[in-house]
Amino acid sequence: MIRQLICIIALVVTSASYAQHFKTYDWKKKPKLHKITDAEAEASSVAILKKHIVEYYLSDANAQPIRYETEHKIIRVNDDQGIARHNTVYIPMYDVNNVIDIKARTISAKGKVVELNKDNIKDVSNVEEYGDFKIFAIEGVENNSEIEILYTVEKDYEIYGSETIQTDYKIKEAQFLFISGDLESNVKAYRTTETFDSVKLDGTKAELLTITDIPAMVEEEYATPKANNIAVVYQCYPKGQNISQNMFWSNVANNVGMQFFPKVVEPKAQEDVNAIVEGQTDLTSFKTVALIDNFVKNNYTIVSNNNPELSDLKYVLENRSASDYGIMKVYAQYFKALDIEFEIVITANRFLAKFDPEFFVPGMLRDFLIYLPEEQKYIAPERFEARVGEAPFNILGNYGMFIQSNYDHYFSKIIQEDPDYSRIRRDMNISFEDDFERVIIKQDQDYFGHWAETSRAVMSLSPEQGVADYKDYLTGSGIDDKEILSYEHQNADMNITKYNQPFKVQTTIASENLLEDAGDSYIFQVGLVIGTQSELYQETERINPIEMLYPNRYNYEIIVNIPEGYVAEGLESLVIHKEYKASNGKITAKWDSNYKIEDDKIIIIIEELYKTHEFDLNKYEAFRQVINAASDFNKAAILFKASE
């Protein structure tokens, strides 16, 4: 959709001609195996070289520049897993007009060289919906050999581009060479301290980035690894345009504004709005917006295809079927009819890309939100399960471009206005039946914010098994033998009209496995009643910055009734305190559990909180200890011993 919004800036082309680098760039005529360290030899594969060249070329014969891209990789494969990962090569054909050359070869541990038979290169269409590829298998590959691939393609001219450098295996040396010659250009690297060096190639201007010993990007808990990869973005256009970053952004803002801030209200939209608010009482601003959001999500279907009718407002209003682009027009019409102020936000899923307000690349413009400045709340039009409230968790913390009704724009980090938006309150009353035959646990729970959103979505949209699995979670995950004696939930309707209405659950369960006979005493595994907990016991060095799904807080009160004739021992295991302090000294995450005894009751109070979703990688150990405190509490037990 974003591509529809960006006007192509007119290019005033000046003649310029220079040597094309890809024509002389080549691999070594007589390759030899490279030396690697013992640690690198233990890995399944390691890249000796990963070099990507982007070359813009403008000649007298062309009306606009031509873009050439060259990829050169040398990869050591040390075992069968490494071979499986690299012995089939996929070359994407998106935007490719012409394949200049493709070469590949293997160098065995004994120095034997086997080159690619180009007749074995196949064309494959729409591989797993990623588009068309050229594909070929590497011949002669064996353990402890090297695979070398070199190809160049000619692509459609684009002002903008990006390239991901880091990958899921180590790279000993990575290079990104950006050749723009006499054209205007900008290039920027992310998530590396290395910078571009200006170089000349046969008199042609170029920028070279070299990075050594890039670690493999790994999947880690509380992280956004795909968005954290080292990457490069670039822009290139002929001289004389006086183009600035603000011109790019303003171009988008003007196009969005013209589309999504209507001058008049369509009769059908006015008719819908009249029906939405008819008969409503206590019609606050928030309730009005919530009614609109509920109406759109219950009556319109978003269809993912290129049918232009799905973006035509009159068609969409009549047929209740829209593209992601068309559904934005519907909201805009309804808000116009009710004179509700709103702003359009363009941003990106933070798990896929980090939005940079200082460098314009269309690939960052992936998601639309609607911001309501009076309420300081968001609508996510494409997310059926999300209703008006705080920003979606996959957007939270990313920057966004906010476009106002006068087409002005500004950038802001998308934050959670209510620091206590997502939280769980859980009260438990625990007793023992038939002289420790089993445990009876009565629970009263409130789920707020994203917890409530998830709960409503599961209850309303999941198949029967999904609902059953979630019911298991709500009644005490990790208690294998539990019997659900009673279960009741409230506020499961997705069509809420009150801000942050909690999803409420009341349950009673019974379990025998939480008790262990110890002669004339009994061990009660009290820690298990809070459910299965995450653990962070990573032995390798942490790679990714720390990002949780969203800020959240848990408040538990657990009352354990001491049976008559028994005393409780081992209560020290209930006392755990771990905290994370930000650089300003304030506590931003903590686990605190303690207890007191009143009459015949052990009252356990737990507070676990995370005031932000972003934490300093340099303080990973403190964060890890807070997370693991919940797992440590899971192991807590109370010994009930017969009193003398």
Side-chain angles (χ1 to χ4, degrees), residues 102-113:
I102 298 175
K103 300 196 294 186
R105 63 187 178 186
T106 58
I107 303 96
S108 73
K110 295 181 179 180
K112 181 181 178 182
V113 178

Side-chain angles (χ1 to χ4, degrees), residues 427-431 440-444 486 507-509:
D427 292 344
M428 299 184 191
N429 192 293
I430 300 173
S431 58
I440 305 297
I441 304 172
K442 294 183 178 181
Q443 293 189 95
D444 182 73
S486 68
T507 66
T508 303
I509 66 170

Side-chain angles (χ1 to χ4, degrees), residues 271-288:
E271 179 185 324
D272 288 343
V273 164
N274 293 341
I276 291 169
V277 300
E278 184 179 6
Q280 294 291 332
T281 58
D282 302 323
L283 201 57
T284 64
S285 175
F286 180 87
K287 184 176 181 180
T288 302

Side-chain angles (χ1 to χ4, degrees), residues 319-601:
N319 294 277
R320 307 302 202 203
S321 185
S323 64
D324 51 1
Y325 191 69
I327 206 68
M328 293 289 292
K329 293 182 178 181
V330 172
Y331 278 98
Q333 280 284 310
Y334 291 167
F335 290 151
K336 174 72 173 178
L338 290 168
D339 198 27
I340 294 173
E341 182 185 358
F342 68 97
E343 297 173 1
I344 300 298
V345 185
I346 313 179
T347 183
N349 182 336
R350 65 183 167 98
F351 293 91
L352 301 177
K354 303 300 185 184
F355 188 101
D356 180 6
E358 297 180 355
F359 198 103
F360 179 77
V361 175
M364 292 187 300
L365 307 178
R366 301 185 180 197
D367 292 272
F368 275 105
L369 299 177
I370 297 171
Y371 180 62
L372 305 157
E374 182 180 341
E375 298 291 333
Q376 295 184 307
K377 301 294 182 291
Y378 291 88
I379 291 176
E382 295 182 60
R383 292 186 57 177
F384 178 80
E385 78 286 359
R387 302 303 162 98
V388 58
E390 298 289 347
F393 70 84
N394 65 319
I395 301 296
L396 185 66
N398 228 346
Y399 277 86
M401 181 187 187
F402 289 69
I403 303 169
Q404 300 169 310
S405 58
N406 62 359
Y407 306 172
D408 284 347
H409 70 275
Y410 64 94
F411 298 98
S412 178
K413 195 169 187 178
I414 298 170
I415 63 173
Q416 184 171 286
E417 295 289 347
D418 180 357
D420 274 340
Y421 181 63
S422 294
R423 63 190 188 276
I424 297 176
R425 180 201 62 82
R426 181 180 295 164
D427 292 344
M428 299 184 191
N429 192 293
I430 300 173
S431 58
F432 304 93
E433 189 178 74
D434 299 331
D435 195 23
F436 289 101
E437 285 296 319
R438 62 179 187 169
V439 182
I440 305 297
I441 304 172
K442 294 183 178 181
Q443 293 189 95
D444 182 73
Q445 305 175 76
D446 288 341
Y447 292 80
F448 294 87
H450 294 297
W451 291 108
E453 179 183 288
T454 298
S455 299
R456 293 187 180 100
V458 170
M459 291 299 174
S460 301
L461 305 175
S462 292
E464 184 176 339
Q465 184 58 50
V467 172
D469 291 342
Y470 199 65
K471 188 175 178 181
D472 175 70
Y473 162 76
L474 293 171
T475 54
S477 60
I479 304 176
D480 296 333
D481 74 322
K482 72 182 171 203
E483 178 186 356
I484 300 175
L485 304 178
S486 68
Y487 172 89
E488 180 183 350
H489 66 250
Q490 299 170 267
N491 300 337
D493 188 352
M494 298 180 69
N495 297 315
I496 60 170
T497 55
K498 294 180 180 179
Y499 173 68
N500 207 5
Q501 187 170 22
F503 175 78
K504 305 175 76 69
V505 186
Q506 297 82 36
T507 66
T508 303
I509 66 170
S511 170
E512 296 179 6
N513 285 357
L514 293 176
L515 289 166
E516 182 181 340
D517 193 335
D520 61 348
S521 303
Y522 296 91
I523 300 171
F524 170 43
Q525 304 291 339
V526 63
L528 295 178
V529 304
I530 66 170
T532 304
Q533 301 295 312
S534 297
E535 293 181 340
L536 280 178
Y537 292 111
Q538 182 172 329
E539 296 180 0
T540 57
E541 183 179 358
R542 176 83 179 190
I543 299 294
N544 288 282
I546 305 162
E547 290 193 45
M548 305 187 75
L549 286 180
Y550 43 80
N552 60 89
R553 177 161 61 88
Y554 310 81
N555 291 101
Y556 301 159
E557 182 182 81
I558 304 170
I559 297 175
V560 182
N561 294 279
I562 303 173
E564 185 177 353
Y566 287 85
V567 294
E569 297 181 356
L571 301 182
E572 63 276 3
S573 65
L574 305 175
V575 182
I576 302 174
H577 181 80
K578 300 292 181 182
E579 61 185 35
Y580 173 104
K581 289 184 178 180
S583 56
N584 60 7
K586 293 184 178 180
I587 296 173
T588 53
K590 75 171 183 178
W591 168 280
D592 189 64
S593 61
N594 212 325
Y595 74 94
K596 60 184 177 179
I597 297 179
E598 292 183 357
D599 300 326
D600 59 349
K601 301 179 188 299

Side-chain angles (χ1 to χ4, degrees), residues 86-91 102-105 116-124 133-139 147-151:
H86 298 287
N87 70 345
T88 302
V89 177
Y90 293 83
I91 301 176
I102 298 175
K103 300 196 294 186
R105 63 187 178 186
L116 170 71
N117 180 350
K118 294 184 180 181
D119 291 338
N120 294 332
I121 300 174
K122 307 297 182 185
D123 293 308
V124 182
F133 288 79
K134 286 192 178 293
I135 181 175
F136 57 89
I138 298 293
E139 301 171 7
I147 298 170
E148 186 167 13
I149 302 154
L150 175 60
Y151 65 85

Side-chain angles (χ1 to χ4, degrees), residues 241-296:
Q241 303 302 296
N242 296 317
I243 296 173
S244 65
Q245 300 302 315
N246 187 60
M247 286 178 63
F248 288 129
W249 293 117
S250 296
N251 185 46
V252 174
N254 288 330
N255 279 278
V256 170
M258 288 187 291
Q259 295 292 333
F260 296 148
F261 292 104
K263 303 298 183 185
V264 298
V265 177
E266 290 290 329
K268 179 60 177 173
Q270 187 65 59
E271 179 185 324
D272 288 343
V273 164
N274 293 341
I276 291 169
V277 300
E278 184 179 6
Q280 294 291 332
T281 58
D282 302 323
L283 201 57
T284 64
S285 175
F286 180 87
K287 184 176 181 180
T288 302
V289 171
L291 288 169
I292 291 173
D293 195 26
N294 291 336
F295 180 85
V296 173

